[in-house]
Structures are given as structure tokens and as C-alpha cells.
């Protein structure tokens, strides 16, 4: 190639190749944003080693586990899969009230597997709220988070493993317009100290975001195309920001709620999102297929308020036949037989071609062939 291009021509290609490399990097970032939650509430699910193999064969590079299942952690060794490791709500009290319990938990479930298991986040509790059925647990969330964090920090791993908790959208008091997003007044005394800790620790807030439930609860005011990412035009204008889908609007309401506390910047990871294929209003195979496919394509773009890729975990890997109510049984991306329920991929199945330049430029730029 060096005999084909003059030095001037090679030089003039450099900005283009740099832009192509940057584009490719951004596309890879978009691909890498998708994870899948590995729930185990089924009596017909394959063993953990086969599940990890299924993640790998489908290029699913991130997993959420809801508890430190030892078989799953063993299977994840040297898999390259990044992990959200869950602390179940049932453990919160013991970890909050006893530092030794937290240290032992970290030793047993983190240090015994690190670094061959790429633990990225520890989710201390899931959907705990200071109001409602789990209210008695709320007092333990932040102390448990802090004790786990200190155990991680003592090992010098606090920059590699971030400790957080996962909330749901019921803690949002106002979500419309998104810029006016705010947390409920009766949860601020619970959430504000958690947000303060997240600012201090440089950790994201994990949020379970389900446009399906927002749509199915209010189909009169929310259109199905807006919920499914299929609206051809902006549906909601909020100042300078235009919203073409409900996911962005809900997520930006969370971003605004955090910003409006004035505590500090905290990034958001979508720790659950999905659409059921059966069992309830608008829970159809086609709606689920359209929603999930569009979500996977969309998260690399970010939201109007946060225009960078949004790390998002799809719920869930399998239909889980021991969940209730009925609709909860139909969120799987795969059947328990390990067959894909939907035809789309998860970001890694794209084809590549290479643009290669000679040694003087010393660069290789992969291009997406199916964009």
C-alpha cells in the first residue's frame, strides 16, 4: 500500500481514519452497554455453567446476579463477563449491624472470585423503599452499603468495584416534564444520604426502569408507539430537549431528580428493563420483540439530558415459572430450553471489515458493515 499512496495522500487520510476509529469506538461502547439479568426463580432452568455459556455464545458481556450464587460465580471465572453482584434484601440487617459480617461476605463472595470474576458493581439491596412493604429494611440499606464499601476499600478495590443499591421508579414523585423530575418528599430522608455516599464514592445509582408498567398503567395518556420507541417524531418537548420515547423521558426524570437534590452528580445505570411477552395488558410477543430490539439499539445514544451510552440490563435471561403474579413469568429473552425467544441479537453479532493503512500510519480501523 505504501507504493500506492503518496505521503501527502497518507497524511490526508489520517483525519478520516481517526474519525472512523472514533466512530468504531463509540459503536463498541454502544454494544458493550447491554447486560442481562440472570434470575433463577424457575424449576426448569439450565445449570449455571450452561447459562454462562449461553451468555458468551450470544455476546452478552454483562450480567446481573441477585444473590451470590456460588455455582454461578464459579461458572463466571475467566468468562470475561462483567457482573453486578447482588446482596439480597434478607442480608441487609446482618451486614448493616456487624462490620465482621460485611468483611466475611466480601471475602466469601468477592475476594474468593476476584479477579477471575469481573465484578463491576455490588448492588446492596433491591427496590427497598422507606414506604410500603419493605419499609422496615430501609434503615439498613445505607449502613450495609457503607460496610461493604469499607470492606472493599480495605482491599484497595474501591476504584474497580463500585458499591451501590438498586431503586425502582416508585421513589420518583414527579416525572413530567422530565426536567422537573423529583423524588417523593417522604423518601428524601432515606435517599439523600445514599446519594451523598454515591457522590463521595464515585458510584452510580442503579435504577429499575420499566416503560411497560408506566404505559400499561396509563394507556390513555401514553401512546404505544411512544412506549415502544416507534414514534416517528418528538412526542414531548421539555425546553431544549425533545423526547421521542418513554424510556428517555423516564430516565431523564431520574437524572433530574438527582440533580434537583443539589447534592452532586451521580450517574445512573439501568439495572432492569424489559417487556413481557404474555400475562397482561399489551404483553404480547410482538410488543416485547419490538421494544427490546429498539432498546438494545437505542441505549448507545444516551438520553437528551445525558447524551452518552446508558449501561442497561435487560430483565431477564429466562422465563421464570416460579415467579408471581403471572406477568412476571414472561420477561425472558430465552426459553428454559436455551432457545432464543426473539430473533434479534445483543450487540456483538455484527460483521466487520478492515481498513488497513501502511506502517507509517500504523493503524487498523474496523468498520461496521451493517450500519
Amino acid at each position: 500500500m505504501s507504493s500506492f499512496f503518496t505521503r501527502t495522500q497518507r497524511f490526508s487520510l489520517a483525519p478520516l481514519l481517526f474519525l472512523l476509529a472514533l466512530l468504531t469506538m463509540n459503536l463498541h461502547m454502544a454494544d458493550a452497554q447491554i447486560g442481562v439479568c440472570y434470575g433463577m426463580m424457575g424449576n426448569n432452568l439450565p445449570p449455571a455453567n450452561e447459562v454462562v455459556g449461553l451468555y458468551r455464545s450470544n455476546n452478552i458481556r454483562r450480567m446481573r446476579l441477585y444473590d451470590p450464587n456460588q455455582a454461578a460465580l464459579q461458572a463466571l471465572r475467566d468468562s470475561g463477563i462483567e457482573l453486578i453482584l447482588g446482596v439480597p434484601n434478607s442480608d441487609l440487617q446482618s451486614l448493616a449491624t456487624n462490620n465482621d459480617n460485611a468483611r466475611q461476605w466480601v471475602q466469601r463472595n468477592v475476594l474468593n472470585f476476584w479477579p477471575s470474576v469481573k465484578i463491576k458493581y455490588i448492588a446492596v439491596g433491591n427496590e427497598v423503599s422507606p414506604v410500603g412493604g419493605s419499609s422496615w429494611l430501609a434503615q439498613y440499606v445505607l449502613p450495609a452499603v457503607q460496610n461493604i464499601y469499607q470492606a472493599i476499600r480495605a482491599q484497595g478495590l474501591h476504584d474497580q468495584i463500585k458499591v451501590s443499591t438498586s431503586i425502582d421508579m416508585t421513589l420518583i414523585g414527579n416525572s413530567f416534564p422530565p426536567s422537573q423530575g423529583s423524588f417523593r418528599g417522604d423518601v428524601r430522608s432515606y435517599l439523600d444520604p445514599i446519594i451523598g455516599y454515591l457522590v463521595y464514592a464515585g458510584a452510580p445509582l442503579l435504577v429499575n426502569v420499566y416503560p411497560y408498567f408506566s404505559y400499561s398503567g396509563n394507556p390513555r395518556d401514553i401512546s404505544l408507539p411512544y412506549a415502544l420507541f416507534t414514534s416517528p417524531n418528538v412526542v414531548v418537548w421539555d425546553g431544549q430537549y425533545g423526547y421521542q420515547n418513554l424510556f428517555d423521558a423516564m430516565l431523564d426524570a431520574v437524572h433530574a431528580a438527582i440533580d434537583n437534590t443539589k447534592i452532586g452528580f451521580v450517574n445512573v445505570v439501568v439495572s432492569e428493563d424489559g417487556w413481557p411477552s404474555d400475562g397482561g395488558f399489551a404483553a404480547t410477543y410482538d410488543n416485547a420483540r419490538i421494544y427490546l430490539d429498539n432498546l438494545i439499539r437505542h441505549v448507545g445514544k444516551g438520553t437528551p439530558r445525558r447524551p452518552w451510552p446508558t449501561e442497561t440490563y435487560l430483565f431477564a435471561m429466562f422465563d421464570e415459572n416460579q415467579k408471581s403474579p403471572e406477568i412476571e413469568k414472561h420477561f425472558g429473552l430465552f426459553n428454559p430450553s436455551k432457545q432464543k425467544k426473539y430473533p434479534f441479537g445483543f450487540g456483538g453479532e455484527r460483521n466487520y471489515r478492515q481498513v488497513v493503512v501502511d506502517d507509517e500510519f500504523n493503524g487498523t480501523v474496523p468498520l461496521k458493515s451493517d450500519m
Side-chain angles (χ1 to χ4, degrees):
M1 184 177 286
S2 57
S3 62
F4 185 80
F5 289 111
T6 67
R7 180 176 296 275
T8 302
Q9 287 172 317
R10 286 199 298 272
F11 180 79
S12 66
L13 280 173
L16 173 62
L17 290 166
F18 174 77
L19 289 174
L20 289 171
L22 189 63
L23 173 63
T24 302
M25 180 179 69
N26 288 337
L27 290 169
H28 278 303
M29 286 177 64
D31 284 352
Q33 298 313 305
I34 289 293
V36 179
C37 302
Y38 176 15
M40 301 183 184
M41 294 183 67
N43 61 12
N44 57 351
L45 302 182
N49 63 316
E50 294 182 17
V51 175
V52 170
L54 197 59
Y55 272 72
R56 296 186 69 185
S57 64
N58 284 276
N59 293 292
I60 304 169
R61 303 169 190 173
R62 295 182 176 177
M63 175 189 290
R64 181 181 179 184
L65 273 180
Y66 290 91
D67 63 77
N69 180 280
Q70 298 295 292
L73 289 170
Q74 288 288 356
L76 283 165
R77 287 188 186 276
D78 301 317
S79 67
I81 295 170
E82 291 187 336
L83 181 66
I84 299 179
L85 178 60
V87 174
N89 293 349
S90 56
D91 287 353
L92 292 174
Q93 184 174 0
S94 68
L95 298 177
T97 54
N98 189 308
N99 287 329
D100 284 338
N101 289 346
R103 283 193 288 269
Q104 291 167 15
W105 193 97
V106 168
Q107 179 64 55
R108 183 170 60 252
N109 303 308
V110 178
L111 302 180
N112 285 357
F113 296 95
W114 178 272
S116 64
V117 177
K118 297 174 65 174
I119 300 167
K120 185 175 186 182
Y121 307 120
I122 299 175
V124 182
N126 183 50
E127 297 189 348
V128 175
S129 172
V131 292
S134 62
S135 59
W136 71 277
L137 286 170
Q139 63 185 308
Y140 301 119
V141 173
L142 182 56
V145 166
Q146 291 171 324
N147 286 346
I148 293 290
Y149 171 79
Q150 291 300 334
I152 293 290
R153 187 182 178 90
Q155 302 297 320
L157 296 176
H158 54 290
D159 288 332
Q160 293 104 306
I161 302 173
K162 296 299 183 179
V163 185
S164 186
T165 190
S166 184
I167 68 169
D168 64 25
M169 293 295 292
T170 65
L171 302 192
I172 298 290
N174 183 59
S175 61
F176 188 85
S179 62
Q180 299 304 307
S182 61
F183 294 113
R184 291 169 45 169
D186 55 358
V187 306
R188 287 291 299 273
S189 62
Y190 164 70
L191 265 184
D192 282 16
I194 291 174
I195 293 170
Y197 154 79
L198 296 173
V199 172
Y200 159 75
L205 181 62
L206 309 179
V207 185
N208 299 341
V209 180
Y210 282 97
Y212 168 75
F213 289 112
S214 293
Y215 166 69
S216 62
N218 188 15
R220 186 190 67 180
D221 296 325
I222 300 173
S223 73
L224 184 59
Y226 187 55
L228 293 178
F229 295 93
T230 57
S231 292
N233 302 301
V234 169
V235 175
V236 173
W237 281 101
D238 180 14
Q240 64 181 310
Y241 301 128
Y243 291 90
Q244 207 166 333
N245 65 82
L246 181 57
F247 175 84
D248 281 353
M250 292 176 68
L251 189 50
D252 270 356
V254 177
H255 292 138
I258 296 170
D259 293 346
N260 289 336
T261 66
K262 310 295 186 188
I263 296 170
F265 176 83
V266 172
N267 198 23
V268 171
V269 169
V270 177
S271 45
E272 286 181 18
D273 186 14
W275 195 289
S277 59
D278 201 354
F281 175 77
T284 68
Y285 175 88
D286 283 340
N287 284 347
R289 174 183 55 79
I290 291 166
Y291 179 81
L292 292 164
D293 191 15
N294 285 331
L295 176 67
I296 291 166
R297 296 170 185 272
H298 178 76
V299 295
K301 304 174 185 176
T303 69
R305 196 177 183 93
R306 299 281 193 271
W308 54 76
T310 303
E311 190 175 342
T312 300
Y313 291 76
L314 306 181
F315 185 86
M317 193 64 175
F318 300 105
D319 284 343
E320 298 171 64
N321 64 6
Q322 293 178 316
K323 297 200 75 169
S324 63
E326 178 65 23
I327 198 167
E328 296 280 345
K329 299 176 182 178
H330 302 283
F331 277 86
L333 301 172
F334 290 80
N335 297 311
S337 65
K338 300 191 292 184
Q339 295 301 306
K340 287 171 69 169
K341 192 194 290 188
Y342 306 106
F344 53 77
F346 302 94
E349 295 84 353
R350 290 168 168 78
N351 298 314
Y352 296 89
R353 64 177 179 267
Q354 301 263 305
V355 172
V356 183
V357 295
D358 66 289
D359 293 348
E360 281 188 74
F361 188 81
N362 194 26
T364 301
V365 185
L367 296 178
K368 292 292 174 66
S369 65
D370 63 346
M371 295 306 293

